[in-house]
Amino acid sequence: MSRTLLLKLNTRPIRAITLALFLLSGIIFPNLARASFLNESFDYYGAGDLAGQGGWFLYDAQGMLYSGQLLATNWYNPPLALRLNSVSGGQGNVIEAQNYYATGSLSFWFYFSGNNLGGSDVGQFGLGESASTSGNINLNILCSEVPPVCDTANIRAYVGSWNTFFTGVKKETWNYFNIDFASPDNFRLTLNGDTTDWTSTPCSFNYIHSLYFWTAYFGTGSFNFWIDNIGGIAEIPPPPIPESCEDLELLERLVCEIKNTMAGAFLPSQDKINDLKNDLNIIQQKFPFNYLNEASTFFTDLKAGTEATSTISFKLLDKPGVVNFSIWEKSVNLAGSTQTFADILKGLFSGFVLFAFIVWAIGFGKRIFK
Amino acid sequence: MSVADILITIVIYLIETLLLPILPVSVGAFTISEFSSGLLAIKSNLIYGLSGIGFFMPVSLILNLVLLILFAEFSLMLFKMGVFIVNLVRGSGA
């Protein structure tokens, strides 16, 4: 790039526009691959019933699914399993979105440690139309070594029969897992950046009906299993099916044919969109985007956590007590409207904060054009 | 193959050959799990600390503005860093 051109580009308006575009890209790009029906952030694992939640959700467990010794049984109820709503067999319906077709993806991080004995399941999850193995995909994370060692695990999927897709999954490290659906009968798996080929399944997916995680254990010993950042991405609507032009008049048929030709020449195919979406998902899990996502989730959760009012408890001479905020709920008639002391103070502090923000914004604007 | 398919194929190729092999999951000693744990601890403490004053202070507004200021300052810093690097290469013209 010539020096003259660079000098011409180094003007204040150009710098301001460049900075504005950069700021916009910081907002747009992280959200590019996260088109979703519904985003929910749940601060506490196992807290509350998510009945009635439709569509995809983003769940951040921030914690341990299970730690300790398990008996030789399975189908653990919460909090030993992530189960939402009540369905027989201990599994839960998470997603009951209607008119939703299983083209999309589901991802989460998992981590396991400890000494899992007996070559047992470290963790297992499934999704599909029902709890039975015939109508869904069951995946499990299974110790790959002879007990009592469990330093690595295999990931298997039940698609009519158990197939092993990944081996040597290491313990005591966070692993990223993703499953893509290209059509109701095809899926592929991604583990830490390695992606399998598209695999057909005899299971018929019309929509993701159930999602459940549990720890199943058939031996003795103790281990820990974490699950975190469960996320889903809704499908991008497929390109419109070419319109039928047979029943149209000559001129309308010509316009229809031209429209179909243009659509076929310029619109992307669903496979390419899915491939791009999968690569963007993988980038989201790489530095620095995963760190930025964690920071973004931190602020979101912080805002949600501070919005709820709570009490301040204290202990004086071994006697517990709670700070009484009832005085702030007393109302007063101010300039014709009734307001509580809390609202008045909130308004006052909001004014101070906004004034300080305006002062900063003026200084920031001056620094941009400096 | 449509025009959009070709463009997407190029983008995918560039991502898979240039970006994905280079970008790590964690950075050295400061892993993503340590980062998450640290943020969780800070979040818990902040929520506990701000829980009482949230009754009469606009905590949500303050947090939103702090986030906006941090983002703007960080973006400006990155922009100036880029200009500095460009000046290093071509000379500042002074």
Side-chain angles (χ1 to χ4, degrees):
Chain A
M1 196 176 272
S2 72
R3 184 183 166 124
T4 312
L5 181 60
L6 277 174
L7 283 172
K8 282 182 183 172
L9 286 177
N10 194 22
T11 58
R12 284 176 186 175
I14 298 292
R15 276 188 282 168
I17 290 168
T18 310
L19 183 61
L21 286 173
F22 186 78
L23 287 173
L24 274 176
S25 68
I27 296 169
I28 292 169
F29 183 76
N31 294 300
L32 187 63
R34 288 200 169 272
S36 60
F37 287 146
L38 179 72
N39 269 332
E40 287 280 1
S41 290
F42 303 101
D43 291 328
Y44 304 105
Y45 162 70
D49 185 6
L50 298 179
Q53 300 297 332
W56 289 111
F57 66 97
L58 180 66
Y59 177 88
D60 184 13
Q62 290 286 2
M64 192 179 299
L65 190 66
Y66 182 72
S67 174
Q69 186 171 20
L70 283 177
L71 300 176
T73 181
N74 58 1
W75 309 116
Y76 285 92
N77 290 321
L80 301 182
L82 181 63
R83 179 177 69 92
L84 304 162
N85 300 340
S86 295
V87 178
S88 63
Q91 298 121 35
N93 296 332
V94 171
I95 299 163
E96 295 181 348
Q98 296 184 355
N99 299 322
Y100 175 79
Y101 297 96
T103 54
S105 66
L106 178 73
S107 66
F108 59 89
W109 289 79
F110 68 90
Y111 178 112
F112 65 96
S113 68
N115 293 314
N116 191 0
L117 308 179
S120 306
D121 295 341
V122 175
Q124 189 162 355
F125 74 99
L127 43 87
E129 290 194 359
S130 69
S132 66
T133 53
S134 62
N136 61 8
I137 287 182
N138 272 305
L139 288 93
N140 75 357
I141 304 163
L142 186 73
C143 280
S144 53
E145 293 101 351
V146 175
V149 177
C150 185
D151 288 334
T152 62
N154 298 335
I155 293 183
R156 307 186 305 168
Y158 186 87
V159 286
S161 60
W162 283 107
N163 291 351
T164 298
F165 284 86
F166 295 104
T167 59
V169 183
K170 292 181 184 173
K171 77 171 182 182
E172 296 176 356
T173 184
W174 280 100
N175 296 287
Y176 170 71
F177 185 82
N178 180 82
I179 180 168
D180 284 317
F181 298 95
S183 71
D185 297 326
N186 289 282
F187 71 96
R188 68 179 178 185
L189 307 177
T190 299
L191 180 73
N192 295 329
D194 294 324
T195 304
T196 66
D197 294 329
W198 289 105
T199 304
S200 62
T201 168
C203 310
S204 175
F205 282 94
N206 287 322
Y207 59 91
I208 303 299
H209 183 270
S210 310
L211 174 63
Y212 38 86
F213 293 85
W214 73 89
T215 49
Y217 198 81
F218 303 98
T220 58
S222 65
F223 69 96
N224 307 323
F225 184 66
W226 283 262
I227 204 96
D228 198 4
N229 282 349
I230 305 164
I233 297 175
E235 63 170 306
I236 297 172
I241 299 169
E243 195 179 329
S244 172
C245 308
E246 291 175 354
D247 300 327
L248 299 173
E249 300 294 329
L250 179 63
L251 191 60
E252 288 171 353
R253 186 172 179 173
L254 183 63
V255 171
C256 176
E257 293 287 354
I258 291 172
K259 193 169 64 173
N260 284 340
T261 305
M262 297 293 282
F266 291 100
L267 288 179
S269 63
Q270 188 61 38
D271 280 346
K272 286 295 173 191
I273 292 174
N274 289 340
D275 288 343
L276 179 64
K277 190 178 63 178
N278 193 51
D279 282 345
L280 289 175
N281 288 344
I282 296 173
I283 290 177
Q284 287 279 332
Q285 307 304 326
K286 301 273 191 178
F287 175 83
F289 303 105
N290 53 354
Y291 284 75
L292 291 173
N293 283 337
E294 284 292 330
S296 172
T297 307
F298 163 76
F299 279 104
T300 307
D301 293 346
L302 188 61
K303 274 190 285 185
T306 51
E307 272 172 11
T309 54
S310 60
T311 57
I312 299 176
S313 57
F314 62 91
K315 228 174 182 181
L316 193 61
L317 299 174
D318 276 339
K319 290 203 173 159
V322 172
V323 176
N324 190 340
F325 284 112
S326 61
I327 187 172
W328 301 110
E329 292 169 3
K330 302 278 183 204
S331 61
V332 64
N333 195 313
L334 197 66
S337 68
T338 304
Q339 297 182 34
T340 63
F341 286 127
D343 289 338
I344 294 170
L345 268 181
K346 254 189 178 168
L348 185 66
F349 280 120
S350 299
F352 287 147
V353 167
L354 285 171
F355 179 74
F357 177 73
I358 290 169
V359 170
W360 169 84
I362 293 171
F364 186 74
K366 285 182 183 173
R367 274 188 287 147
I368 289 178
F369 294 102
K370 204 173 180 181
Chain B
M1 223 185 204
S2 65
V3 173
D5 281 344
I6 294 171
L7 290 174
I8 291 176
T9 303
I10 293 171
V11 171
I12 289 173
Y13 176 76
L14 290 173
I15 289 173
E16 290 180 353
T17 52
L18 294 179
L19 274 183
L20 289 184
I22 297 171
L23 293 177
V25 176
S26 284
V27 180
F30 194 49
T31 62
I32 185 72
S33 56
E34 286 172 359
F35 185 65
S36 298
S37 310
L39 285 181
L40 176 62
I42 294 170
K43 183 178 73 175
S44 303
N45 288 325
L46 277 176
I47 288 174
Y48 181 75
L50 295 174
S51 59
I53 63 172
F55 203 81
F56 50 83
M57 276 199 77
V59 176
S60 181
L61 173 67
I62 293 171
L63 285 175
N64 282 327
L65 292 178
V66 165
L67 187 60
L68 181 63
I69 291 170
L70 281 174
F71 184 71
E73 293 285 357
F74 185 68
S75 301
L76 182 62
M77 184 190 72
L78 282 179
F79 177 78
K80 289 193 172 176
M81 225 186 326
V83 169
F84 176 74
I85 291 170
V86 169
N87 284 338
L88 274 180
V89 173
R90 70 169 180 92
S92 61

